[in-house]
Amino acid sequence: MIQAVTVVPDGDGYLLGWRGGPDFVEVPAVGGRIVLWLQEGLSVAECTARAGEMVGEPVDVEDFLHDLTEAGILSDEEPPGDTPPFGHRLGRILFGPAGLTAQAALVVIGVVLLVVDPALRPDYHDGVPFTIPLASLLSITVVSAVLTVIHEMAHKLAAAQYGVYGRISFGRRLFFIVAQTDVTGLWVLPRRRRAVPLVAGILIDAAIVAILVILQEFVGPDPIMRVAVFINVGAIVAQTAVYMRTDFYALFLVLTNSKNLWALKGAVFRRLIRRAGRNDLDLIGAATPRELFWARAYLLLYVPGVAIAFSYYFGFTLRATLRVIGLAVSAIPDGGWSAVGGVVALLVILVPMGFGLTGAARSGIAAIRRAAHSGLRAQTEMPI
């Protein structure tokens, strides 16, 4: 259905997509013009003639349309209806000019209070607000879940104001289990409009921290509020870790106009350590100088970033976690409900931690194997 295809100018070419699908392709200027002509009602023959005049040589429009169908851009499915009015309106309220101004004002006030009053600043002890391990664990779990939903809904609502749908799911970043919102549909928007939906979660996290800090300044310290501030400050810090495909990673893609940064970064790194395979070399060969520049720049962030992530995990997150584990273990010999609470606390902590650590270990082993395999292929196919 050609009318459902979105055509967005991007550099010297166009990005073609489908608002109801996850696939987008970059085409030269003539490709974008062909789709626009078809949407205006011109026939394939007329588009073929115009395209030939535009580029100075024959253009196979039918083959071009076939390629778009194979790529999932053209579809016989009906496009979805408009974004639900409530989501669109709420997105405009929260992330339109007035909403962004209000959030910015709150954050400024919150930062000033944190600077002026050290007692309001989060501390790792806030990760264990109660001496009863199960109470601490449940409070952290519930508050984390609520804040996570708010964070992901912020992405959805900020995208909804432009009529783009988002899908929430769960995934992993290194050894962290995370929630994530798929807003691939933002590719249908011009670059400048993609930024706010991508950082909307961070914006709402910062606004919530500011609100809680302001409340505590007037009503006094509260353990649950301090837990929420502790969690959201940690979440904001974690989002700056562009080496883990965080919100700021997505923003980095927009700012640098990169579309295949993750794969190209890996190819550049493997070539650097002489483990590049044929696919890596083909990817590097097809990249533009600008794309290679940003891949190298990103690599300079990625390598130390992973080291920082490990330092943060083992020096901060793990310390708070081990304290809760210690409290849970100490409660088991007491018997009764204390023992039950201790066991439940251990399960709630250790199960997701186990998934995260084992997943990270599997990814690391797979990366090592791919590097070794790529190296053998490179030596066999292109000996030097």
Side-chain angles (χ1 to χ4, degrees):
M1 183 176 290
I2 197 70
Q3 296 299 330
V5 176
T6 57
V7 187
V8 179
D10 189 76
D12 296 330
Y14 289 86
L15 282 176
L16 303 183
W18 181 48
R19 194 176 292 275
D23 301 309
F24 297 85
V25 296
E26 186 177 17
V27 299
V30 65
R33 297 305 305 171
I34 288 171
V35 175
L36 291 173
W37 292 331
L38 290 170
Q39 291 177 340
E40 292 172 4
L42 273 66
S43 67
V44 172
E46 291 172 314
C47 291
T48 300
R50 287 195 179 189
E53 293 176 0
M54 181 176 176
V55 300
E57 61 181 325
V59 176
D60 191 337
V61 174
E62 290 187 353
D63 187 59
F64 172 67
L65 296 177
H66 174 75
D67 290 342
L68 291 183
T69 302
E70 291 294 312
I73 304 304
L74 289 179
S75 173
D76 293 331
E77 298 180 32
E78 290 289 334
D82 294 334
T83 304
F86 175 76
H88 175 77
R89 287 196 299 268
L90 188 55
R92 289 286 299 168
I93 292 171
L94 291 175
F95 300 103
L100 293 175
T101 301
Q103 292 182 58
L106 285 171
V107 171
V108 170
I109 295 171
V111 169
V112 170
L113 289 176
L114 288 173
V115 171
V116 172
D117 188 354
L120 293 173
R121 299 171 193 171
D123 182 84
Y124 85 92
H125 291 94
D126 296 329
V128 190
F130 306 110
T131 56
I132 302 173
L134 187 58
S136 289
L137 186 61
L138 287 177
S139 65
I140 294 170
T141 302
V142 171
V143 173
S144 295
V146 172
L147 294 175
T148 298
V149 170
I150 294 173
H151 177 99
E152 301 305 329
M153 286 302 299
H155 289 300
K156 285 177 65 72
L157 291 172
Q161 69 175 314
Y162 299 117
V164 174
Y165 295 89
R167 293 177 292 275
I168 298 176
S169 62
F170 292 92
R172 179 178 54 82
R173 301 290 185 271
L174 289 180
F175 25 68
F176 302 103
I177 303 298
V178 298
Q180 54 197 8
T181 302
D182 182 358
V183 286
T184 308
L186 290 176
W187 285 109
V188 306
L189 303 176
R191 274 206 299 161
R192 61 184 179 82
R193 289 192 175 183
R194 299 174 204 156
V196 170
L198 292 176
V199 298
I202 296 173
L203 296 176
I204 208 72
D205 287 348
I208 290 172
V209 168
I211 291 171
L212 295 177
V213 168
I214 294 169
L215 285 175
Q216 290 184 88
E217 178 68 17
F218 288 99
V219 304
D222 176 84
I224 297 301
M225 287 188 187
R226 292 192 66 86
V227 165
V229 170
F230 170 79
I231 291 171
N232 261 10
V233 169
I236 293 170
V237 172
Q239 291 294 347
T240 64
V242 295
Y243 49 87
M244 290 198 299
R245 294 191 181 185
T246 58
D247 294 353
F248 274 123
Y249 169 79
L251 183 63
F252 186 82
L253 295 183
V254 172
L255 295 177
T256 62
N257 198 25
S258 301
K259 302 177 182 67
N260 199 23
L261 181 64
W262 191 265
L264 187 56
K265 170 268 303 174
V268 169
F269 178 72
R270 284 187 288 273
R271 186 177 68 172
L272 184 65
I273 62 173
R274 299 190 177 185
R275 283 289 182 261
R278 169 64 69 180
N279 292 338
D280 294 328
L281 297 175
D282 289 344
L283 184 61
I284 293 171
T288 65
R290 178 189 59 80
E291 291 171 331
L292 287 173
F293 170 81
W294 286 116
R296 295 187 185 103
Y298 180 65
L299 191 58
L300 294 177
L301 296 173
Y302 179 81
V303 174
V306 172
I308 292 171
F310 274 87
S311 299
Y312 177 83
Y313 181 80
F314 289 103
F316 190 77
T317 304
L318 193 58
R319 288 176 66 187
T321 303
L322 290 176
R323 187 179 176 198
V324 177
I325 290 175
L327 291 171
V329 171
S330 65
I332 294 176
D334 296 338
W337 288 109
S338 295
V340 173
V343 172
V344 172
L346 287 174
L347 291 175
V348 174
I349 293 172
L350 295 177
V351 170
M353 179 186 288
F355 277 119
L357 291 175
T358 55
R362 285 198 302 268
S363 297
I365 293 171
I368 293 172
R369 288 177 175 173
R370 283 196 302 271
H373 182 64
S374 296
L376 290 174
R377 287 181 57 194
Q379 293 168 10
T380 301
E381 296 178 2
M382 294 189 300
I384 55 176

